[in-house]
Amino acid sequence: MKKYVLEAMKRGMLAAWGGPVILAIIYAILGANGVVESLTVREVCLGIISLEAMAFIVAGVSVVYQVERLPLPMAILIQAGVLYLDYLLVYLMNGWLKNQLAPVMIFTVVFFIGFGLIWLIISQIIKRQIKQVNSKMRAQ
């Protein structure tokens, strides 16, 4: 268990540096669309800290796929749940998503459709790579 925690911490630390860059892109998009015209020091600090934490969690949770005794469907559910809560809480905390039923439901649908599509694409790529490796091994 300790090795998984340490691996999650390492992954999180490596990814967290990108938080301010992601925040700058988000604020640039919001500014270009007239949603944000100016920011307070509190908003900038909250944005930086929350995106650092979000990136840390997103990268760290990927360690669930290394836990040998954890079935793949369970690992996928754990990752999806953690990512969903991570994104939702950060978006609500920063005011990027209104704390109302309709916007949260739209976010939820878009998140899970996007997560599912990404997983389908990744699984197809992995299956193709496995077939290529198997054919190379059979050829030898």
Side-chain angles (χ1 to χ4, degrees):
M1 182 65 161
K2 182 180 175 182
K3 77 175 186 177
Y4 299 121
V5 172
L6 292 175
E7 181 64 22
M9 297 289 288
K10 181 178 94 177
R11 291 178 186 197
M13 299 271 204
L14 289 171
W17 72 269
V21 174
I22 295 167
L23 181 63
I25 293 168
I26 290 170
Y27 283 149
I29 292 168
L30 292 174
N33 290 301
V35 177
V36 174
E37 292 181 13
S38 65
L39 299 167
T40 66
V41 171
R42 181 188 174 284
E43 291 170 324
V44 171
C45 291
L46 178 63
I48 290 171
I49 292 168
S50 64
L51 277 176
E52 289 287 333
M54 184 174 81
F56 183 88
I57 291 168
V58 167
V61 76
S62 67
V63 79
V64 298
Y65 297 106
Q66 289 185 316
V67 179
E68 293 89 10
R69 290 177 285 188
L70 191 61
L72 182 60
M74 183 58 71
I76 292 170
L77 286 175
I78 290 170
Q79 184 190 33
V82 169
L83 293 180
Y84 173 76
L85 289 175
D86 188 29
Y87 292 156
L88 181 63
L89 293 175
V90 168
Y91 291 4
L92 289 171
M93 184 174 30
N94 284 293
W96 301 335
L97 181 66
K98 292 181 182 175
N99 192 7
Q100 298 170 347
L101 183 60
V104 171
M105 291 306 295
I106 292 168
F107 170 82
T108 301
V109 169
V110 168
F111 174 85
F112 284 106
I113 289 172
F115 187 86
L117 287 174
I118 290 169
W119 250 105
L120 285 173
I121 292 167
I122 289 171
S123 68
Q124 292 304 310
I125 291 170
I126 291 171
K127 284 178 185 176
R128 187 176 312 135
Q129 290 174 342
I130 289 171
K131 284 182 181 179
Q132 289 173 348
V133 168
N134 285 340
S135 16
K136 286 180 183 177
M137 288 175 63
R138 284 186 198 117
Q140 292 179 352

